[in-house]
Amino acid sequence: MYSFEYHRPGSVAEAAQLLTGNEDAKLLAGGMTYIPTLKQRLAQPSAVIDLGGIAELKGIKEEAGGLTIGAMTTHGEVASSAAVRQAIPALAALASNIGDAQVRNRGTIGGSISNNDPAADYPAALVALGATVRTSKRELAAEDFFTGMFETALEEDEILTAVHVPKPEKAAYSKFANPASRYAIVGVFVARTSAGVRVAVTGAGPAVFRATEMEQALAGNFSAAALDNVTVAADALNSDIHASAEYRAHLVKVMAKRAVEAAG
Amino acid sequence: MKVSMSVNGKQVSGEAEPRTLLVEFLRYELGLTGTHVGCDTSQCGACVVHVNGSSVKSCTMLAVQAEGAQVTTIEGMAQGDELHPLQAAFREHHGLQCGFCTPGMIMSAADLLKTNPSPSEHEVREWLEGNICRCTGYHNIVKAILAAADTMRGAARAAE
């Protein structure tokens, strides 16, 4: 690791102040991606601003027909939260299958979605559930937050503070996991809400995307069979040593059908 | 920077740069070499310790992030000469060959048994996702953890 200054602010306002005018400073959440990045000398921040000491960023509360989850809430906390298991069991199940137990004990929802790894699980859930992302400056729809591979709508001096996830009527997530990392080779989150059906896909493309053809097919008939005649194009999908674009396209449909079945 | 924390019940402090990893602080500053560095890439779990009661990979945490925390390492598991039930079970059931992964296995298993005192074999195997052993094929590790769970449940009943 290159050397850096370390700050541990006690509030979002203090963290924002530390970021202002310090363009090479980076925020540290759970560190499950950023610390390995630092160790490989792939990043050289002037300062690391650790969000671990900010109480207002932690915790889960019921609010406005859904759940508000603080950015520094760990995957383990989401997985074991009675409120999440009761209101959105698919989200608790998703969190319980991220990485391994030790990663879940440190990794956070805010860190994960700010990193926007194309194979991360949470982006699919937040887009499918129609979640709202809250930052130190504004609120925006999850769909507008994830802008591309490892890219989000966050500005340099903006801090993600929480996500608000409305309670769905039905939802489930199905993932074909890489057996070594547990990242999604393909993950599909299906949700039916009062606004309609949403299907969000992670792992398959450069960033999370909605499978609109599937959404239309499911809107009239929420069953796995409704997806039989939907085709998934491999054109824009990822190809790597783990899976070709064609195989990923195939998996999108298989995972979507499994998710619909699991949602019931 | 000066870093202070409680390690195995003792208040300790030492010097650490912000980039010093928790595992480096434990091994080189405090001389607690029971916590191992295997892969150094957050995958193998040889470096697992408890921070504020939860198992974490100490190669993927900065020492300064543990400021003020309660840390437990493998050295804090035995009570004097009496091995922790997990340590005793690993010995009894040949849960180790070279022993390199063992501290991480035991610290990880201890975290599991805290929240799930009666895990199934499947649950133990799932939980060990983040701990890699290149000698044993895991079979005796799983057997040892299940035996320790049994012993610890017995001890908990006896204490009631």
Side-chain angles (χ1 to χ4, degrees):
Chain A
M1 257 186 265
Y2 297 111
S3 67
F4 50 79
E5 278 178 34
Y6 175 81
H7 301 283
R8 194 177 169 86
S11 68
V12 173
E14 200 187 326
Q17 204 167 27
L18 286 162
L19 265 182
T20 306
N22 194 352
E23 62 180 38
D24 292 328
K26 280 294 267 187
L27 298 172
L28 176 66
M32 295 297 97
T33 299
Y34 196 56
I35 292 176
T37 304
L38 288 172
K39 285 165 75 172
Q40 292 177 74
R41 294 195 165 188
L42 294 173
Q44 190 171 11
S46 57
V48 167
I49 302 166
D50 183 359
L51 302 176
I54 305 180
E56 63 192 287
L57 292 178
K58 292 177 191 162
I60 299 166
K61 56 176 187 265
E62 288 168 57
E63 193 181 70
L67 299 171
T68 299
I69 304 175
M72 288 296 288
T73 307
T74 65
H75 311 323
E77 286 160 352
V78 172
S80 62
S81 154
V84 181
R85 289 164 88 142
Q86 201 267 324
I88 318 173
L91 189 64
L94 173 148
S96 75
N97 282 309
I98 296 174
D100 57 51
Q102 288 73 39
V103 166
R104 293 192 291 274
N105 281 341
R106 294 288 301 166
T108 64
I109 189 167
S112 172
I113 68 171
S114 301
N115 190 44
N116 195 16
D117 189 301
D121 298 301
Y122 274 130
L126 299 190
V127 169
L129 291 164
T132 304
V133 175
R134 293 182 187 162
T135 77
S136 51
K137 296 182 168 185
R138 57 184 164 153
E139 287 195 357
L140 69 168
E143 205 178 350
D144 301 327
F145 178 81
F146 301 109
T147 54
M149 186 180 273
F150 294 109
E151 283 180 2
T152 68
L154 280 175
E155 290 163 12
E156 289 294 331
D157 58 349
E158 187 171 19
I159 300 174
L160 195 152
T161 54
V163 294
H164 179 263
V165 192
K167 183 180 161 158
E169 292 166 10
K170 289 176 173 189
Y173 179 59
S174 185
K175 157 161 91 161
F176 193 85
N178 178 314
S181 68
R182 298 294 169 195
Y183 270 107
I185 289 177
V186 168
V188 179
F189 200 105
V190 175
R192 198 176 80 183
T193 66
S194 52
V197 177
R198 278 195 180 197
V199 179
V201 181
T202 190
V208 61
F209 63 90
R210 281 173 67 183
T212 44
E213 207 186 319
M214 289 187 173
E215 293 178 357
Q216 284 153 14
L218 292 168
N221 174 14
F222 193 81
S223 75
L227 299 177
D228 282 343
N229 297 321
V230 174
T231 52
V232 179
D235 302 348
L237 302 188
N238 302 336
S239 224
D240 57 27
I241 57 164
H242 305 297
S244 65
E246 290 72 24
Y247 186 50
R248 279 189 163 86
H250 172 74
L251 284 175
V252 169
K253 188 157 153 179
V254 175
M255 292 301 115
K257 290 176 96 167
R258 287 188 191 172
V260 172
E261 272 166 15
Chain B
M1 292 175 80
K2 191 171 173 219
V3 183
S4 304
M5 63 188 82
S6 156
V7 178
N8 300 329
K10 270 189 292 201
Q11 200 58 37
V12 297
S13 59
E15 279 299 317
E17 285 187 72
R19 62 178 164 176
T20 303
L21 297 168
L22 177 59
V23 70
E24 295 169 337
F25 184 78
L26 293 170
R27 288 177 60 87
Y28 307 131
E29 187 71 21
L30 304 181
L32 294 171
T33 55
T35 303
H36 292 166
V37 179
C39 67
D40 203 20
T41 56
S42 354
Q43 296 174 70
C44 81
C47 65
V48 172
V49 301
H50 295 184
V51 174
N52 294 332
S54 294
S55 58
V56 305
K57 291 181 176 174
S58 62
C59 83
T60 313
M61 183 169 170
L62 305 173
V64 288
Q65 289 182 284
E67 171 70 35
Q70 309 271 342
V71 177
T72 307
T73 70
I74 190 68
E75 288 92 342
M77 295 300 275
Q79 302 286 323
D81 288 339
E82 195 185 330
L83 292 178
H84 184 278
L86 274 163
Q87 293 172 306
F90 269 66
R91 185 169 70 176
E92 173 69 20
H93 295 276
H94 304 285
L96 60 138
Q97 286 179 30
C98 85
F100 194 85
C101 72
T102 313
M105 288 284 177
I106 288 178
M107 298 312 289
S108 182
D111 192 14
L112 168 67
L113 298 184
K114 206 170 49 181
T115 49
N116 182 356
S118 315
S120 66
E121 180 187 333
H122 179 73
E123 286 172 324
V124 172
R125 288 184 186 274
E126 287 264 295
W127 184 268
L128 294 180
E129 172 66 36
N131 293 83
I132 296 175
C133 170
R134 295 293 77 161
C135 304
T136 70
Y138 303 96
H139 193 69
N140 285 355
I141 292 174
V142 174
K143 212 155 91 178
I145 293 169
L146 291 171
D150 208 33
T151 308
M152 289 163 74
R153 285 196 307 273
R157 269 197 302 273
E160 277 167 12

